[in-house]
Amino acid sequence: MEVRKGLRYRAIGRQRLDRIPQLLRLDEDQRIALKAVAAVLPFRVNRYVVDELIDWGNIPQDPIYQLTFPQAGMLERGDFMRMQNLVASEAPEEVIRREAHRIRMAMNPHPAGQMDLNVPEIGGERLPGAQHKYRETVLFFPSQGQTCHAYCTYCFRWAQFAGIEGLRFADGEVSTLTRYLEAHTEVSDLLLTGGDPMIMTARALRRYLEPLLDPALDHVTTIRIGTKSLSYWPHRFVTDPDADELLRLFEEVVASGRQLAFMAHFSHPRELETEAVREAMRRILSTGAIIRCQAPLIRHVNDDPEVWADMWRLQVRLGAVPYYMFVERDTGPKHYFEVPLARALRIFARAYAQVSGLARTVRGPSMSATPGKVLVDGVAEIRGDKVFVLKFIQARDPKWVNRVFFARFDDQATWLDELQPAFGANEFFYEPALHAMYEGAWQPRWRRGAAGPATMARDEAV
Ligand SMILES: *Cc1c(COP(=O)(O)O)cnc(C)c1O
Ligand code: SF4
């Protein structure tokens, strides 16, 4: 399909579900079920996702439909039935909201350690919109970039989507960030994330990016933008009123001598097939920026080696770089989406085996866990013990990086905290140091620098 020139962005949320003509194929019960789950889980689509990405001849199995439209199985049976009754009986919005909140709170909106590790501090002032977990990279969540052009049903950030529409630029937000970065010359990468920073206008984004180009921040050589806009709204870079202004801004970042990297979230090759996304990628690459690609492995969406192999090949062909395959974390409708680590590894290995070396820049399956990013690198049998070979590819203490360690093989385990150390050990090598970090008794050397012992809060993202 050609790029639709006149298409303007407009979010379609739960209240406007009835305006999606394709949903008329569903019967009344199915529509009520959809509304019931959409009241609890994040729901937002737009005309591009509905008209160009979803194959309506194949619902509910269609992967992009599963990615964006909530399904009955995503809630526990009892919760679903209660919600369905409320929606069917047209209960007041207030009642629906209260019930939705209760269900969400039971779904672990803040995964392990999230509340107490990693908000950086400068001169006694906290940077609430930032995280500094790994030495080289600071994560920054611009206050205006906290929504997305559509929502993924598995999103672990859904807790933050409630009631945050129209957030204003927080005064002092950027100057505190730049002061922090000036004091931390160990930081080479700044990663803007969200939500999705590309939800911002070019003007708003400029207020965040321009101060980072200051020569005092020459050590920050890479600016990354974590985004799903290429999948959910590629028109952002092509036909939006400020698309050209946005591209000029990217050129300025590149002209400052820095790398501008789009950390593009692509879940399925379908997202790379439209003329709109291809034009968007061409335009971004023409500014000198690069595009790296990452996504979680999600049951019902992309739990198939052929899907990943096709996606990586297509990414390389379009000039992008495959980067990470993530394991889905322990929050939200986990039971619906999760893939055991052993199966994730088989999917990764089968896909990896069939692509050329240029696509083998990808690493995975990787868990963004409390101690670091842990790669499930293989399964081995060592003197009769079947084990997972694990490896830190990112860690709170840089000394752990690239270190291999072993866990007892477990067919069912879906996350690091379900694994047991192999060979009779009672803990993994990093556990004593990690506990000491939690208790504030010890910090790795880079955290003990000029700013004193870092206080910690929210954990991970990306
Ligand atoms: C993944 C991640 C990063 C970036 O790590 P890279 O391996 O450099 O891509 C930074 N901070 C956090 C919290 C992360 O989860
Ligand atoms: S694009 Fe990212 S932040 Fe937005 S809904 Fe999907 S997973 Fe969540």
Side-chain angles (χ1 to χ4, degrees), residues 118 131-134 136-139 189 191 224 263 294 323-324 326 329 363 366 368-369 372-373 393-394 458-462:
N118 279 356
Q131 288 177 33
H132 193 184
K133 176 173 177 176
Y134 305 130
E136 292 77 18
T137 306
V138 166
L139 245 57
D189 290 37
L191 171 46
R224 308 194 206 177
M263 310 306 290
Q294 55 189 31
Y323 190 56
Y324 276 136
F326 291 118
R329 47 189 310 113
R363 290 170 300 166
S366 166
S368 286
K373 279 189 170 65
I393 48 178
Q394 195 53 280
R458 248 162 51 166
D459 202 342
E460 42 253 308
V462 188

Side-chain angles (χ1 to χ4, degrees), residues 29 229 285 312 331:
D29 284 354
S229 55
L285 294 172
W312 295 333
T331 183

Side-chain angles (χ1 to χ4, degrees), residues 326-338:
F326 291 118
V327 177
E328 172 60 353
R329 47 189 310 113
D330 51 349
T331 183
K334 177 176 159 72
H335 64 281
Y336 188 83
F337 290 121
E338 73 190 358

Side-chain angles (χ1 to χ4, degrees), residues 148 150-152 154-157 161 194-196 228 232 265:
C148 307
Y151 292 152
C152 312
Y154 59 76
C155 183
F156 65 88
R157 275 172 268 199
F161 293 146
D196 194 326
K228 198 162 172 67
Y232 283 160
H265 175 179

